[in-house]
Amino acid sequence: MRIDRHAGDPARGDDREERVLLDHAGDPAPLLGRTPPAPDTQPNVVELSAVADTPRQSGVGVVAPYDFALDRELWRWAPDDVSLYVTRLPFVPVPVTVDQAAALSDGTNVARATRDLLAPEPLVVAYACASGSFVNGADGERLLWKSIVDAGAPAAVTTSGALIRALDALGVRRLAVVTPYVDSVTERLTGYLGDHRVETVSGVGLGLLNHIWKVAYSEVVQAVRDADRPEAEAVFISCTNVLTYDIIAPLERMLGKPVLAANQVTMWAALQAIGRRPVAHGQHLVDATDRTTAA
């Protein structure tokens, strides 16, 4: 049984399906008081079906650096029924150095940003900054994670913590790294990896102090090729402000080994925390861990 009614008419409890007929301007008024024309003969009439249930949305909160420019990159890993709630940390007038990374890891600011995200009830809060989460070593990362949970997040991940989880999941202990940073920041990354007994077999840093989000795919690909070594079990591309989604799978095919990236591991860990799988095409981390979970 199909019951047609106009916009504004009360719904009936026995309706199995309802259709709202709109004219091309979205105004139902011209259709009121007369029999609606057949939709298939009216190109400007839109039929909205209410048979399907309203889709439910799960939320992921994201705390990002003030200069983060790649919101869309994170969304590419998100399933259609997962929303991202992104907020920025306070502006710090310094270039991309150890000082900036230390400022971004300030627990008070991270806790405040986390509380700002809690209104839409995210199921997990992700701290999306590589350098800010590795700059103070393994102990600093744990304190950062704790500041998010203590602020009220139901679950928490950080980019650097997610990296270690990804390496553990893949059984990787020898890693090549590519960073956009100056040497002093890259050294903090290798120190953090050492805290977790992961050996950095080689590294390439681009030496950038700003505008990291403008790095081209071609630059990243060349840096990965330069950093790779036969003894490296995987390659990690650091910094959430580096675009990587489109090049991870091709790089893995070229190198014959996993290629991990900061945004990838962040979204992978955040979605795992809520029982979801990232949207990815041929990315080893997502495919291999999905098979492991299914088994």
Side-chain angles (χ1 to χ4, degrees):
M1 175 180 180
R2 175 192 292 264
I3 303 296
D4 290 341
R5 65 184 179 86
H6 301 301
D9 288 350
R12 292 171 47 182
D14 60 351
D15 286 359
R16 295 183 183 177
E17 180 176 350
E18 61 183 73
R19 292 188 298 161
V20 180
L21 301 177
L22 308 177
D23 69 3
H24 69 281
D27 182 4
L31 299 177
L32 297 179
R34 62 183 175 86
T35 301
D40 57 358
T41 64
Q42 297 293 321
N44 292 329
V45 173
V46 179
E47 181 177 311
L48 304 179
S49 174
V51 172
D53 291 334
T54 301
R56 300 181 65 85
Q57 287 285 306
S58 298
V60 172
V62 179
V63 177
Y66 63 87
D67 62 344
F68 183 65
L70 305 182
D71 299 59
R72 183 176 179 274
E73 170 102 336
L74 296 180
W75 276 97
R76 298 183 72 181
W77 276 283
D80 286 343
D81 60 347
V82 172
S83 290
L84 303 185
Y85 315 135
V86 185
T87 193
R88 261 72 172 170
L89 293 167
F91 173 69
V92 182
V94 295
V96 182
T97 60
V98 168
D99 289 341
Q100 187 212 49
L104 293 174
S105 68
D106 178 85
T108 301
N109 287 336
V110 172
R112 182 181 298 114
T114 299
R115 287 191 292 270
D116 290 343
L117 290 170
L118 296 182
E121 301 179 351
L123 301 179
V124 61
V125 172
Y127 174 85
C129 179
S131 62
S133 52
F134 66 61
V135 65
N136 293 316
D139 289 342
E141 189 277 330
R142 283 189 287 269
L143 287 173
L144 193 61
W145 178 90
K146 187 175 186 298
S147 70
I148 298 170
V149 173
D150 288 350
V157 301
T158 72
T159 297
S160 297
L163 170 61
I164 299 304
R165 287 180 57 186
L167 295 175
D168 288 344
L170 298 178
V172 171
R173 281 295 171 264
R174 294 187 300 277
L175 189 65
V177 300
V178 170
T179 84
Y181 315 128
V182 295
D183 289 347
S184 57
V185 180
T186 301
E187 288 166 3
R188 293 295 183 101
L189 171 58
T190 60
Y192 172 79
L193 291 168
D195 289 344
H196 290 277
R197 299 184 180 180
V198 176
E199 178 187 357
T200 304
V201 301
S202 64
V204 171
L206 300 180
L208 300 178
L209 290 171
N210 51 48
H211 295 118
I212 289 174
W213 67 89
K214 296 182 179 180
V215 174
Y217 279 155
S218 58
E219 295 176 81
V220 179
V221 169
Q222 186 59 55
V224 168
R225 296 180 68 174
D226 291 343
D228 186 36
R229 297 289 185 275
E231 63 270 26
E233 298 167 334
V235 180
F236 173 59
I237 305 167
S238 191
C239 191
T240 54
N241 239 352
V242 175
L243 280 166
T244 54
Y245 186 92
D246 292 313
I247 60 175
I248 291 172
L251 281 168
E252 290 183 327
R253 292 194 296 269
M254 180 178 70
L255 302 180
K257 63 184 65 175
V259 174
L260 307 176
N263 284 321
Q264 177 202 41
V265 298
T266 303
M267 289 299 296
W268 169 81
L271 290 168
Q272 270 209 337
I274 63 174
R276 301 303 306 277
R277 182 187 190 276
V279 177
H281 308 285
Q283 296 179 10
H284 184 76
L285 172 65
V286 176
D287 293 342
T289 54
D290 186 53
R291 287 195 298 272
T292 301
T293 301

